Amino acid sequence: MTFPVLSVLVLLPLLGAAWILLAPGGEDARAANARVTALVVTLLELALGIALWLTFDTSTAAFQFVERIDLFAPFLSWHLGIDGIALMLIMLSVFLMPFCILASWQSIHTRVPEYMAAFLLMETLMLGVFASLDLFLFYLFFEGGLIPMYLIIGIWGGARRIYASYKFFLYTLLGSVLMLLAMIYMVSVAHTTDIPTLLTFDFAPAAQPWLWLAFFASFAVKMPMWPVHTWLPDAHVEAPTAGSVILAGVLLKLGGYGFVRFSLPMFPQASANLVWIIAVLSVVAVVYTSLVALVQTDMKKLIAYSSIAHMAFVTAGLFVFNTQGIEGGIVMMLSHGLVSGALFLCVGVIYDRLHTREIAAYGGLANFMPRYALFFLLFTMASVGLPATSGFVAEFLVLLGSFGASTWLSAGLTMGIILGAAYMLYLYRRVVFGTQERKEVLAMPDLSGREIAILLPIALAVLWMGVYPTSFMVPLRAPVRNLLARLHGAAPRPENTVVATAAGTRIALSGSAK
């Protein structure tokens, strides 16, 4: 394909945002133009993403659709390209964005053009992260995503939006300062900012742990991992519905993508030696945040803590050094993006009607909102990991991979699954079943046509991934094989077991790359 599809994919939302901000007319006309433009642009992005998927060669791990313009060589190049991992995360991004626009169609009334422009700018920056093949270009996109989300939370958020937006911004920015220093060192040693070249460059064993920790500081906050997770519940609670969808659906995946693209292949020896950090933090996060979710009274905050637990499955899977674990971690990112986004949309549906997220305010919705109860049930079951849903495929693969690495790790993850079923089913029972006597709740209408149009495609995607996961996993296989080949010499082996003690817990990782 000679057409610069990746450049168009990345820059088209930016052009749409510029048109929205510069379009003439009165306030109502500009708001209507902003909504229509944002929807059209995001649908065009979805069409381009589908074209990428249909023309993508799944037999190779090489980067495809490569474009390069040396802007400020050797320091910065407009260098784009994708492999199968980046492709699937791009598809997740372009799939969710139209639903974010539709979810904001009636709920956002102030500064509508600026709101829609912020979402289109967010799409440009997210896609730029996944498509970048230049180290500093990646960093610009990676950090640039803070700005529109900071504005979305800070301007259109809830009562504590200023506190939540500052906390979000400071946590994620400070974590990335160390990564920037590490990047400067890497370029000074390798004499290139080209990511494909850096993926095969062997950094000194003495330097690898420091570089790994510097990148870990950024990616751990982005995911977020325990104990640097506290910004996420506040950000979710205060963000508008569409902001929560894109935050949970895509922005949290930037950290997981960073681990796959940088930490594992560029610093394989450090990844093997420091894997115990990931194992301990993942198990603690799964159990602790699940217990915290059980006692939440706010629906958004409960789902936010659920997201932290599911992201711990991602990190656990990525660092077990086998095919099942790594593929499971990536599929978990895709599944969680769909399911958590849909759950936040479900919360937004009833919040728009009653303007409260308190679980105690609801109950008995199945009696007068049966369509809503059905969709909410499907996404709840997918979050729990019911067979034939995307959540089951992801959790099964991660557990299979983790069991080959450590029985303690798999036991901790299994406990997280049990607790996950407890808090999600408890939430569903309190909101959907029981009796309701409040007149305001009894007067709530069932899903509208627009709301069904939002939830139905996501429901079909969740079922598609659960029934036929191969279609999502085929593009991942070649890059995962390539990653494992890179890790093979450094992966923990039975004859060289990595044993570490942290917080009084002894964890033995004995899996080998397969």
Side-chain angles (χ1 to χ4, degrees):
M1 183 181 292
T2 57
F3 179 71
V5 60
L6 291 182
S7 291
V8 173
L9 188 76
V10 171
L11 296 178
L12 180 60
L14 188 61
L15 296 176
W19 164 247
I20 287 174
L21 294 176
L22 298 176
E27 183 177 346
D28 291 341
R30 294 185 68 239
N33 170 73
R35 293 187 180 98
V36 173
T37 300
L39 181 60
V40 170
V41 169
T42 53
L43 289 175
L44 288 174
E45 289 286 281
L46 178 57
L48 284 172
I50 294 172
L52 278 179
W53 195 355
L54 294 177
T55 55
F56 189 83
D57 183 3
T58 59
S59 64
T60 176
F63 290 98
Q64 301 176 42
F65 311 106
V66 176
E67 308 168 25
R68 181 162 189 164
I69 301 175
D70 292 325
L71 298 174
F72 303 102
F75 305 106
L76 180 67
S77 298
W78 181 259
H79 190 189
L80 304 179
I82 58 172
D83 62 357
I85 299 171
L87 169 69
M88 299 315 298
L89 290 170
I90 285 175
M91 285 304 305
L92 175 65
S93 305
V94 298
F95 180 73
L96 288 177
M97 281 302 296
F99 306 124
C100 292
I101 302 303
L102 286 173
S104 308
W105 205 265
Q106 296 178 351
S107 59
I108 301 298
H109 308 286
T110 59
R111 299 185 180 182
V112 176
E114 290 82 358
Y115 178 88
M116 296 300 176
F119 265 91
L120 291 182
L121 176 60
M122 175 73 69
E123 185 169 24
T124 282
L125 296 170
M126 292 187 308
L127 297 178
V129 168
F130 300 132
S132 294
L133 291 184
D134 182 272
L135 195 63
F136 290 134
L137 184 65
F138 167 86
Y139 185 81
L140 291 175
F141 283 124
F142 188 81
E143 289 304 296
L146 295 176
I147 299 172
M149 182 53 69
Y150 168 79
L151 296 175
I152 289 169
I153 298 173
I155 298 175
W156 295 277
R160 299 176 69 247
R161 59 186 180 273
I162 303 300
Y163 168 78
S165 60
Y166 271 107
K167 191 174 183 180
F168 160 75
F169 189 87
L170 291 176
Y171 262 73
T172 51
L173 179 64
L174 292 175
S176 298
V177 171
L178 293 175
M179 183 174 73
L180 178 60
L181 296 176
M183 287 180 171
I184 295 172
Y185 172 83
M186 291 164 62
V187 172
S188 68
V189 171
H191 305 292
T192 182
T193 61
D194 184 63
I195 289 178
T197 302
L198 291 170
L199 288 173
T200 59
F201 187 86
D202 294 322
F203 290 97
Q208 281 196 30
W210 299 106
L211 295 173
W212 189 93
L213 289 171
F215 277 81
F216 174 79
S218 178
F219 300 148
V221 173
K222 281 283 189 183
M223 293 202 67
M225 296 180 68
W226 182 89
V228 289
H229 67 285
T230 58
W231 64 268
L232 183 65
D234 292 318
H236 271 310
V237 168
E238 301 304 326
T241 297
S244 293
V245 171
I246 211 65
L247 178 60
V250 182
L251 290 186
L252 300 189
K253 311 306 177 289
L254 301 185
Y257 178 74
F259 282 130
V260 173
R261 181 63 71 230
F262 296 95
S263 301
L264 285 167
M266 292 187 185
F267 321 121
Q269 191 62 54
S271 295
N273 293 337
L274 300 174
V275 67
W276 63 271
I277 296 177
I278 298 292
V280 171
L281 294 183
S282 296
V283 171
V284 171
V286 166
V287 177
Y288 169 75
T289 57
S290 296
L291 291 173
V292 173
L294 272 171
V295 298
Q296 295 305 310
T297 60
D298 184 295
M299 284 185 282
K300 261 194 170 184
K301 190 166 283 190
L302 187 151
I303 299 170
Y305 280 107
S306 166
S307 294
I308 300 168
H310 282 90
M311 287 299 96
F313 270 84
V314 173
T315 52
L318 295 180
F319 280 86
V320 296
F321 297 94
N322 57 48
T323 301
Q324 296 89 347
I326 296 176
E327 288 186 354
I330 298 171
V331 173
M332 176 62 80
M333 286 196 282
L334 301 177
S335 172
H336 177 264
L338 296 173
V339 174
S340 67
L343 287 171
F344 280 116
L345 287 169
C346 287
V347 173
V349 166
I350 53 178
Y351 178 80
D352 289 341
R353 288 158 169 75
L354 202 61
H355 301 290
T356 179
R357 292 182 297 268
E358 289 298 315
I359 299 173
Y362 299 94
L365 297 189
N367 298 322
F368 48 93
M369 296 181 69
R371 292 194 294 269
Y372 174 82
L374 178 62
F375 278 109
F376 196 13
L377 176 63
L378 172 62
F379 299 129
T380 299
M381 292 298 100
S383 179
V384 169
L386 185 73
T389 66
S390 58
F392 172 77
V393 177
E395 291 179 354
F396 179 79
L397 286 172
V398 171
L399 283 178
L400 190 63
S402 65
F403 187 78
S406 167
T407 54
W408 290 106
L409 178 61
S410 59
L413 297 179
T414 302
M415 178 62 68
I417 292 176
I418 296 170
L419 292 173
Y423 62 70
M424 288 306 299
L425 293 176
Y426 189 36
L427 169 67
Y428 189 81
R429 185 188 69 81
R430 287 181 288 173
V431 172
V432 175
F433 295 122
T435 58
Q436 180 57 254
E437 297 180 357
R438 292 182 59 186
K439 294 181 179 179
E440 315 90 81
V441 179
L442 293 172
M444 289 167 52
D446 205 353
L447 295 176
S448 65
R450 177 181 61 87
E451 290 163 341
I452 292 175
I454 293 171
L455 296 176
L456 182 59
I458 303 178
L460 294 176
V462 168
L463 293 173
W464 177 17
M465 186 181 291
V467 173
Y468 188 49
T470 300
S471 56
F472 293 84
M473 295 174 63
V474 166
L476 306 177
R477 286 174 178 162
V480 168
R481 283 197 302 269
N482 194 52
L483 175 60
L484 285 171
R486 175 73 172 162
L487 291 168
H488 182 73
R493 296 171 177 273
E495 64 270 19
N496 185 27
T497 301
V498 177
V499 180
T501 302
T505 303
R506 186 175 180 85
I507 294 182
L509 298 175
S510 58
S512 59
K514 298 178 182 179

